[in-house]
Amino acid sequence: MNNRSQVFIIALNVMLAFFILRLIGLQLVENEKYKRLSMDNAAHTTPILAPRGIIFDKYGKVMLKNHPVFMAYLRPHLLPDDPKNVLHKLGEILKMDPGKIHKKYIERKTPLSEGILIASNLPTSVVSRIEEDRDGLPGVEVICFPLRSYPYKKVASHILGFVGEIDKNELRALKNEGFKLGDLIGKDGVEKSYDKYLRGVSGGKKIEVDALGNPMRVLDIVDPVPGSNIILTVDLDLQKKVDEALGNREGAVVVIDPNSGEILAMSSHPAYDPSNWDAQGTRNHPFMNRALSSYPPGSIFKPVTLSAALETGKTTENEIFKCSGVYRLGHRIAKCWKESGHGRITPIEGLVWSCDVVFYELGKRLGPDILHEFAQSYGLGQKTGIDLPQEKRGFVPSSKWKKERFNEDWYDGDSINLGIGQGYTQVTPLQMASLFGEIAAGKRFKPYVVKKIIDNNGKILFENKPIIVSEIPIAKRFLDLIKSALMDVVFRGTGIAAYVPGNEAAGKTGTAENPGLPHAWFLSYAPAATPEVAVATFVSHGEHGDRVSAMITHDILEWYRKNRLSAKKIILDSN
């Protein structure tokens, strides 16, 4: 044999050996892999979606549950090569632009065997049309889905939140957690903060299909695992009353247990209906949680100023100030809210009657940095860490900040504004509820809305416990002076509109200057002697805290007296 023939035979033998080894590999080593791929080509999986967990109030009343709805999916691997006719026909049935359906199909980022959500909450008439035209809609599938049901519509909407289809940014961030395009995910409130507990694990039904995609037999069923249930700290009946008391006014109310940090109620208006969130529009920003947003505090900041002045020795409880209705600082004249003035007045009485002249002077004496330090020790200018999205930090200025921000020195004029809670200062209703809870209890707790999470076997997966964030930053004798003054604010001072016999509160009014009409605040805790609730009431552009906000608080405290204090008394008497 010549050399050329020998080379040919050797090459032939090498190729034959390669094919034999490859055949062995396919038949033995990779048999299961290709068997699985073959099965996938002959089958498709219909998802069985897991119902999200149920959310209860602190007494076991259902605040959020599920009800079955129908959803239309596309199965890309079962669509014809040119799906335009199918997509057009589906668009006509759904009364939906076929172009939008085609866009979802083109932009899918899931395997061909997985479905693409096209429309949800389908009426039975639409489901019937799809099923009747099954042969003309290959690749279209209707799935029954457990949709969220909100029995009380807008009540506690900013606490509960809502779910929606995952967007591209969320998908990018959560790609390693098994999410895919078309999945539903918590978008706000508890639904978002505790989504991983609520969403459960979907199952599926694997069905063998023929070459035309027609189902032949069920190959396997994996049952879904329902999401875990959540028990809130929220008192549903109190929440309803708070929503009713706030009414249609733009603003927020926070009711917190000062002895634990539990949020008993949180209302923000305008609110939205989570069951139909995509039809709310953006007018007046209904999705904005005003309880966690920041605003100028005005006179509700004065307890911070007074506590700082007493603790640092910048004043004493018996010092006499003279209020003529104006405060002179060089050529500047700053007015007191009472034009005729308060006359001779101590700083304690200055808090009772919210005398601006007293707090102008205390602000000047303290300066920005001492006030900044004390405000931070009360939790202002920082997030509380509540287990809800949207929380703002608020802001308390300092001389360093002003220099860096405006390249300007701090002036006494800035200090007198800071002393009465005006100027650059911003706080949230939640921060102020926590602050008054700290005055009431002598310590500040981290606020939270979820008490515990329980799986479907009754096992507790997570439980929030009261966490003390800080002790009050002043001596007990100064705290007692401030608490006594706050009681007098409601008993005989500017907050008398909030007085409720049998549930007497300690409180503070606030009217915060703002572009347009002033904001109205009222801060309180009750009963003053043995506090059970701290309440922050904020009405945007409500003008006077001693009127609208104090009256809202009055209605809430009156309800609490009748429905919670009396109930506790009955329980104690029966024991």
Side-chain angles (χ1 to χ4, degrees):
M1 298 177 65
N2 57 36
N3 289 338
R4 186 175 295 177
S5 298
Q6 289 178 343
V7 171
F8 175 76
I9 292 173
I10 292 171
L12 188 63
N13 286 333
V14 169
M15 291 176 62
L16 183 61
F18 172 79
F19 284 121
I20 291 172
L21 290 173
R22 182 59 180 153
L23 185 60
I24 292 172
L26 291 172
Q27 291 293 324
L28 300 179
V29 180
E30 299 184 81
N31 177 62
E32 287 301 319
K33 172 185 174 182
Y34 286 99
K35 183 178 179 181
R36 186 174 65 254
L37 289 173
S38 174
M39 184 63 70
D40 287 344
N41 286 333
H44 80 265
T45 301
T46 299
I48 304 175
L49 303 174
R52 290 176 72 87
I54 299 172
I55 298 180
F56 302 87
D57 89 330
K58 66 182 301 181
Y59 297 115
K61 296 178 180 178
V62 175
M63 296 184 70
L64 196 165
K65 56 184 179 179
N66 302 296
H67 73 275
V69 298
F70 296 102
M71 310 180 79
Y73 277 80
L74 280 183
R75 298 289 176 187
H77 67 300
L78 299 178
L79 286 169
D81 293 337
D82 184 358
K84 289 182 180 179
N85 289 336
V86 172
L87 301 184
H88 182 77
K89 185 178 293 187
L90 180 61
E92 287 183 340
I93 295 175
L94 298 176
K95 295 182 179 178
M96 184 176 177
D97 182 2
K100 290 184 178 180
I101 300 177
H102 190 259
K103 184 178 179 183
K104 286 192 174 189
Y105 168 70
I106 294 297
E107 293 182 351
R108 70 184 185 277
K109 292 185 177 180
T110 57
L112 286 175
S113 59
E114 293 186 2
I116 303 169
L117 175 63
I118 300 301
S120 57
N121 206 15
L122 302 179
T124 52
S125 58
V126 171
V127 175
S128 298
R129 288 191 61 189
I130 293 175
E131 293 301 326
E132 288 170 2
D133 200 6
R134 171 60 51 207
D135 293 338
L137 293 169
V140 177
E141 186 170 27
V142 175
I143 297 173
C144 184
F145 181 80
L147 191 68
R148 292 313 241 171
S149 174
Y150 300 83
Y152 303 102
K153 302 298 182 183
K154 295 184 178 182
V155 173
S157 60
H158 292 91
I159 295 176
L160 297 174
F162 60 93
V163 295
E165 187 175 346
I166 192 168
D167 62 35
K168 293 179 181 179
N169 293 330
E170 291 167 330
L171 187 62
R172 193 179 302 114
L174 300 170
K175 62 182 178 182
N176 295 325
E177 295 187 26
F179 284 97
K180 59 184 182 297
L181 209 61
D183 282 346
L184 298 181
I185 190 172
K187 295 283 188 175
D188 193 18
V190 170
E191 289 274 36
K192 180 175 183 178
S193 297
Y194 293 90
D195 182 79
K196 68 177 182 179
Y197 291 102
L198 288 165
R199 67 175 175 254
V201 181
S202 294
K205 182 187 295 184
K206 183 171 283 190
I207 302 173
E208 184 179 2
V209 296
D210 60 21
L212 298 177
N214 298 312
M216 297 177 63
R217 63 190 177 100
V218 176
L219 300 174
D220 189 24
I221 296 178
V222 177
D223 293 327
V225 179
S228 298
N229 299 325
I230 287 181
I231 299 174
L232 301 179
T233 61
V234 175
D235 179 338
L236 176 58
D237 291 335
L238 175 59
Q239 176 71 44
K240 290 180 186 177
K241 180 59 188 180
V242 168
D243 285 353
E244 175 192 315
L246 182 58
N248 291 324
R249 305 174 185 91
E250 181 182 335
V253 177
V254 177
V255 183
I256 191 171
D257 183 342
N259 305 297
S260 65
E262 292 187 359
I263 299 297
L264 303 179
M266 179 185 287
S267 182
S268 175
H269 186 83
Y272 60 89
D273 182 353
S275 63
N276 194 23
W277 63 268
D278 56 350
Q280 302 298 314
T282 57
R283 186 172 180 270
N284 295 327
H285 308 287
F287 296 101
M288 173 183 172
N289 189 344
R290 286 162 172 80
L292 305 182
S293 300
S294 58
Y295 307 91
S299 293
I300 58 170
F301 187 81
K302 288 175 179 175
V304 176
T305 303
L306 181 56
S307 66
L310 290 169
E311 183 69 20
T312 59
K314 300 294 184 181
T315 190
T316 64
E317 60 185 285
N318 296 316
E319 183 180 2
I320 300 297
F321 294 78
K322 185 177 180 181
C323 173
S324 63
V326 297
Y327 180 84
R328 299 183 184 279
L329 183 64
H331 297 294
R332 176 182 173 184
I333 294 178
K335 295 182 179 179
C336 182
W337 68 267
K338 186 176 181 181
E339 293 183 8
S340 61
H342 291 93
R344 292 168 58 83
I345 189 169
T346 66
I348 306 302
E349 283 294 297
L351 184 60
V352 174
W353 295 104
S354 200
C355 175
D356 291 325
V357 167
V358 170
F359 287 90
Y360 287 143
E361 177 61 23
L362 293 181
K364 177 175 174 290
R365 294 180 189 179
L366 287 163
D369 298 328
I370 293 176
L371 272 173
H372 177 84
E373 178 186 346
F374 270 82
Q376 283 205 316
S377 68
Y378 277 109
L380 304 184
Q382 54 198 295
K383 292 183 178 181
T384 66
I386 190 172
D387 48 345
L388 287 175
Q390 294 199 44
E391 184 179 17
K392 301 295 186 290
R393 298 180 65 89
F395 182 71
V396 181
S398 66
S399 58
K400 179 182 177 183
W401 167 82
K402 189 182 179 189
K403 190 69 174 178
E404 292 176 349
R405 180 70 175 80
F406 300 109
N407 194 28
E408 292 182 2
D409 293 330
W410 187 274
Y411 302 110
D412 285 344
D414 298 317
S415 293
I416 69 172
N417 279 341
L418 182 55
I420 64 166
Q422 292 289 169
Y424 305 109
T425 308
Q426 297 275 308
V427 300
T428 71
L430 174 61
Q431 286 174 340
M432 296 310 298
S434 294
L435 188 154
F436 262 62
E438 185 171 0
I439 293 173
K443 59 191 70 172
R444 178 162 46 91
F445 290 85
K446 180 180 179 180
Y448 57 97
V449 298
V450 168
K451 192 168 186 67
K452 63 178 67 174
I453 301 175
I454 304 173
D455 71 11
N456 288 277
N457 296 316
K459 179 182 177 182
I460 296 177
L461 303 179
F462 171 83
E463 186 170 9
N464 263 317
K465 301 284 188 180
I467 298 174
I468 297 174
V469 177
S470 69
E471 303 286 341
I472 200 158
I474 57 174
K476 184 179 183 302
R477 66 190 184 96
F478 297 139
L479 175 61
D480 289 343
L481 287 171
I482 290 172
K483 292 173 74 170
S484 177
L486 294 176
M487 289 176 64
D488 282 340
V489 167
V490 177
F491 184 69
R492 60 182 176 85
T494 57
I496 197 169
Y499 181 75
V500 175
N503 191 20
E504 294 83 359
K508 182 70 191 77
T509 55
T511 302
E513 297 299 325
N514 194 66
L517 296 175
H519 296 317
W521 289 90
F522 190 79
L523 275 294
S524 64
Y525 58 84
T530 54
E532 294 183 14
V533 292
V535 184
T537 301
F538 167 78
V539 177
S540 180
H541 307 293
E543 295 194 71
H544 302 289
D546 60 339
R547 299 175 195 171
V548 60
S549 296
M551 289 187 284
I552 291 171
T553 304
H554 172 278
D555 291 347
I556 294 169
L557 295 180
E558 176 68 21
W559 182 94
Y560 194 88
R561 181 190 70 80
K562 291 179 179 178
N563 295 279
R564 291 296 177 261
L565 288 181
S566 58
K568 289 185 178 182
K569 185 177 185 301
I570 291 171
I571 292 172
L572 290 172
D573 290 345
S574 65
N575 290 334

